[in-house]
Amino acid sequence: MKPKKSQWVWSAGGVALALGAGVMIGRISAPGGESGSGAAGESAGGKSSARDGEAGLSLAERVQRKRAGEDGRGAAKPVDTDLKAILDSTSRLDRTQRLLAFLDRLPADKFAGVYDEFRNMPGVNLRGSERSLILQAWAERDPLNALGFLQEKGGEDWERETAVATWAANDPQAAFAWASTAADEGDVNNWLLGATRGIAATNPELARDFLAQLQGPTRDQALNAMQPYVMQFGFDYAKDWIAGVGDEKLQEQASRQMARDLANLDPAQAAQWNSAMNNVELRRDISETVSDRWARTDLDAARAWVERLPEDTKSEAAEGIARRYAREDPAAAAKWLAGLGNNPDLDGARFVFIEESFRGSPQTSLEFVANVSDRGAQERLYRDSLQKWFRADEGAARQWMNNHAQTLPPRVVARFNQPRRQ
């Protein structure tokens, strides 16, 4: 059986998933609101607005009220009752507004027929946003029937995820309990993936608790799906979220996966977080990511941080610096990297420098190859780099090789001095 991969990503026309189930109906709280803790709670508390007077109104009713106010008429435009007429509109905005109003008035027992009709329309694959809106509205109104329909009819992966995520945003415990018992084929359980995604949209901390109950590729994809919901509240919230993961292996996985985003948010704080890690392997793995992202915005600060790291981490973090520094100033980068010492573990950073600096300065790149501790690797680097240079500028490459023939591996020199075949 082939492994399945999440298809939550946008279908054709796919703006609908950006609206989200909660945005469409307007009843979902901000992430963290249920737990009332940490940055999430604070963010949710700061989002009140002048629209509070419209509390209790559906989105469709608010749209109608806005239209009435704009054209100066007190009566709203009648709500469409013909789905095909709505879809015939050439304006996406108009089509979406009319569809929302239609769905808001649609009785719960009519959704199955409407959704089935829509699924079988010609060109349905070009109507991904509208299809998702109908499914989200149905799953919010009557989740069990919507999910039962998908089980019976054989819903696509994204349909499963969309429907159960909509339910989970409003009733996380019930949705997750249902998803835990629903059969799904393949390596990824889309019911559980959708449930954890929907919970993360409203309460990332609660989603974290459910994440520990998942396994294998389903857990991997669920963690990936949660990441943007965690990161939206800033560095401190994300760092604390990771620290709250109870399972050690899962916490390490979350640390590795979210390190890039943490470093993008605040590289200096990410460096402190990284340096404080007791797990040497984890600290090493993340250090390259942090140094690479920091070097993009402040090379000097990133370089100074790497120089202060313990040897077991410095050698890995140096790779992130070498990549950026080699592009900006190959000669200075070579001097800096050589100054870090002769630790064989620095060969990874040396390989990175040689590859990156070759593009702008083949001479600097080749002259640095002697710093590589592995003799076999040295010979391969000389051979491969000279071969590329001979193709691009044979005259310059041959002159450099002849000038350094006494220090180059004899087999490399012999290779490029072989007479050409006629």
Side-chain angles (χ1 to χ4, degrees), residues 29-45 202-206 237:
S29 62
E34 294 179 15
S35 64
S37 62
E42 295 169 6
S43 298
T202 60
N203 190 336
E205 293 171 25
L206 181 60
Y237 180 85

Side-chain angles (χ1 to χ4, degrees), residues 21 32 40 86 91 180-181 186 188 190 193 210 213 238 244 280 288 317 352 400:
I86 295 172
S91 166
S180 298
T181 61
V188 175
N190 298 100
L193 180 56
F210 285 115
Q213 302 178 43
V280 175
E288 181 184 350
V352 169
W400 184 91

